[in-house]
Structure formats: structure tokens, C-alpha cells
Amino acid sequence: MPSSSPSMTKPKPQGFYSSTFWADYLSTQHSRLPKLGDVTENCGSSRRVVRFLGGNPGPMQLQGTNTYLVGTGRSRILIDTGEGHPSWIMNLTGYLDDHDISISHVLLTHWHNDHTGGLDDLLLHDPDIPVHKHMPDLGQHPLRDGQIFTTEGATLRVVLTPGHSADHACFVLEEESVMFTGDAVLGHGYSVADDLGAYTESLRLMRRLGCSGAGYPGHGDVIQNLPRVLDMYIAQRAARERQVCSVLAQAPPSLTVEDVGERLYGELASSSDSFDTAVRPLLDQVLFMLADHGKVGSRLVGIGPGQRRHWFVVQSQTV
């Protein structure tokens, strides 16, 4: 039986991602982004890929959501459906009509509305297109790890990559050793994760697959060297883990999350507002992930409203 996804509305930023620090960072990043065309043929120099921009630029969406038409024949596969802006469906259906192309399958990277919001408009255009997603909604088909979808000129292999969302999936284009990365890896900057532990494992899995070419992200320009960018993502997360473990190891017997934040971020953590919105959510994710991996432990100290969780390095671990 298909399982229900979360409510099909755009997720609201929470914690660090609703902070003024994050907003300022995104604003700066957005001002530096290259311009992308609404429709880009031979995207990433591939004759197999046409990119359609979702028409929804924004702080979290960068230039907008990327959707991709994959293949070389009269029947092709569509990856993601944008957010539902009229320009997207007009550009897509106009291209299909002009080139006498139909869509054999829709593959969704994950449930977030900026990747699925245009689906209803597409199905009004052609209600018989099968839709596939990991953890599918009613009427959709499930994706299985390793599942193959073929069309003229293209073979796509499913790679389940939870972390950014529980149902996230990527797709490898076998003919070119490239990957459609959804929101696991972006064309600019770094992505965010619902489950940091699962996300980190998914990044490592993506790296082990050995795709030697480009990455086609859910947001941003084509990633020209996907292995290098995956290495950067993995290194960034590993460095944060080492920093947290090092702080805990050097300050026995244990530290609260506030103590860890002060030692790592200094003045940024000294303001309660800054700490609660910009530091605590990130550190909590890292600490609980390290605890799941047996690298750190914690204990509750005190009683009642004053009870606090104190963290420490597990002695068998080396930093």
C-alpha cells in the first residue's frame, strides 16, 4: 500500500534556517548566482537533458526549481515538476508540442512542494502519465533502490538517498555516469537535512557510486565535477563532527550544548536569541547523530525545569 507523504505544502524554515543569520547568508548567495534560462537544451552539454526552470526563484530555491526532461526520442522521462507556477507548465507543454514529445514516466526526487507542486497541471495535460516516488502518495508508484527506467537514449537507475527528506531519491544516467541529485547536493552552497545521520550516509553512498561526470541538482547550475563537490560536502560534515568531539574531549567531565556552542562560536552563541535560532539546532543535530553512532554520550543533570543534558565523549573513541 502506498504511504502518505507529509502535507503537500512548502515546508517552513525552522530553527537555524529561520534565523536572520541564515537569511542574510542566503541573500548574499542569491546576489552572486548565475542566470539560468527558462528552457535549456543540451543542458550540461548533454544531448539527453533539457532543463526547465520552475519559475519560483527565492532564498531557498536559488534560481528556482530545476526539472529535467531526459532522453533523445519522442518519449522521454521527466524528473520533478516544479512548484506549480504557470510559466513552468507553459514552457514544458509548449516544448513537448513543438517537438512532438510525450512523457513516459515522472520521477520525483522527494515530496517537497517546490518539486511536486506542478504535478496536477502536468496530469491535466496528460492524465495517463505514471508518477513514481519513494514513499508514494495515493495513485503514485513506489521507487525501489536500483530500479531501472529506460527510454530512447537514456537509462536511469534509482538511488534512494534519505536525509534531506525521508523519501529522497537520486537518479543515475548510466550512459553518461552523471547523477540527478535532487536536493541532496545543490548547484551552489550547501543543502539542509531533516536527518543528519541519514543524510551523511547518503552522501557517502553517492560518492561510492563513482559517477565521474556532472551533477544535475534540484536547484542551481549544473555541477561540473560531482565527485569533488561530494567530497566537499562530506568533508564539511566530518569537520563539524571532529570539532564537536574535540571540544567535548578537552573539557571534562561534560558540557551542555550551550557550553559547546560558546567554545565553538564565541560571541554568536553568547546571545540567547542567536543561540536558539542559529546554533542550538545545528549542534543538537550533530550531537544526537554522534550519540547514535556511539561516539558521544549524554546524561541529564538536575531535576525539574532546571534539568539539563550534559554531553561527553565515549572513552573508547579517539578524536
Side-chain angles (χ1 to χ4, degrees):
M1 289 289 291
S3 61
S4 295
S5 292
S7 173
M8 297 294 285
T9 58
K10 187 188 298 185
K12 295 181 179 180
Q14 297 181 357
F16 173 77
Y17 305 108
S18 65
S19 70
T20 56
F21 301 97
W22 181 242
D24 290 345
Y25 168 78
L26 289 176
S27 178
T28 301
Q29 289 292 102
H30 206 274
S31 68
R32 300 172 178 171
L33 296 177
K35 182 175 176 56
L36 303 181
D38 291 337
V39 180
T40 304
E41 295 184 291
N42 300 316
C43 185
S45 301
S46 172
R47 66 186 182 90
R48 297 179 171 88
V49 181
V50 183
R51 179 180 61 208
F52 296 84
L53 209 56
N56 59 327
M60 297 292 285
Q61 290 77 33
L62 304 180
Q63 298 96 326
T65 303
N66 295 322
T67 71
Y68 300 98
L69 194 63
V70 184
T72 58
R74 295 179 59 183
S75 178
R76 304 189 189 182
I77 296 171
L78 181 69
I79 297 176
D80 282 344
T81 63
E83 193 166 346
H85 284 245
S87 62
W88 175 80
I89 191 63
M90 291 174 64
N91 288 331
L92 176 65
T93 56
Y95 189 92
L96 296 175
D97 292 342
D98 290 345
H99 295 78
D100 193 21
I101 292 171
S102 64
I103 295 175
S104 62
H105 300 84
V106 171
L107 308 182
L108 299 174
T109 58
H110 61 299
W111 72 269
H112 289 167
N113 187 61
D114 58 329
H115 294 259
T116 61
L119 185 58
D120 287 344
D121 289 333
L122 179 63
L123 294 179
L124 283 175
H125 175 76
D126 184 350
D128 296 324
I129 302 174
V131 179
H132 300 258
K133 182 170 71 67
H134 183 40
M135 301 169 63
D137 295 323
L138 187 65
Q140 299 176 354
H141 304 277
L143 291 172
R144 303 185 308 275
D145 199 47
Q147 186 176 1
I148 298 293
F149 292 87
T150 60
T151 191
E152 183 177 337
T155 305
L156 289 170
R157 175 163 51 92
V158 178
V159 183
L160 300 185
T161 52
H164 173 76
S165 64
D167 63 343
H168 198 278
C170 298
F171 307 101
V172 174
L173 178 59
E174 299 280 12
E175 286 81 359
E176 298 183 6
S177 190
V178 301
M179 185 184 298
F180 297 88
T181 63
D183 281 2
V185 179
L186 304 181
H188 317 282
Y190 290 95
S191 187
V192 300
D194 284 346
D195 183 330
L196 186 60
Y199 178 60
T200 303
E201 287 304 310
S202 290
L203 290 174
R204 291 172 177 153
L205 168 62
M206 293 165 69
R207 185 65 176 93
R208 290 197 301 270
L209 292 176
C211 291
S212 57
Y216 291 88
H219 303 277
D221 206 354
V222 175
I223 302 163
Q224 296 300 332
N225 187 334
L226 181 59
R228 180 179 65 83
V229 173
L230 281 167
D231 286 342
M232 289 171 54
Y233 266 60
I234 293 167
Q236 190 250 12
R237 279 144 186 80
R240 186 174 293 162
E241 291 177 36
R242 289 195 299 271
Q243 287 177 333
V244 171
C245 284
S246 178
V247 165
L248 291 175
Q250 294 172 24
S254 62
L255 296 174
T256 65
V257 66
E258 290 85 357
D259 295 331
V260 175
E262 183 179 352
R263 284 163 171 79
L264 284 177
Y265 301 113
E267 291 185 4
L268 179 61
S270 63
S271 162
S272 60
D273 288 342
S274 299
F275 181 81
D276 289 337
T277 61
V279 178
R280 184 192 296 275
L282 293 179
L283 289 180
D284 278 343
Q285 270 197 324
V286 174
L287 287 164
F288 280 101
M289 182 190 70
L290 290 171
D292 287 342
H293 294 168
K295 295 182 178 181
V296 305
S298 69
R299 61 175 177 268
L300 293 174
V301 177
I303 58 175
Q307 189 178 62
R308 310 292 293 278
R309 185 175 297 275
H310 287 239
W311 297 90
F312 53 89
V313 172
V314 175
Q315 293 303 312
S316 61
Q317 297 296 320
T318 58
V319 178

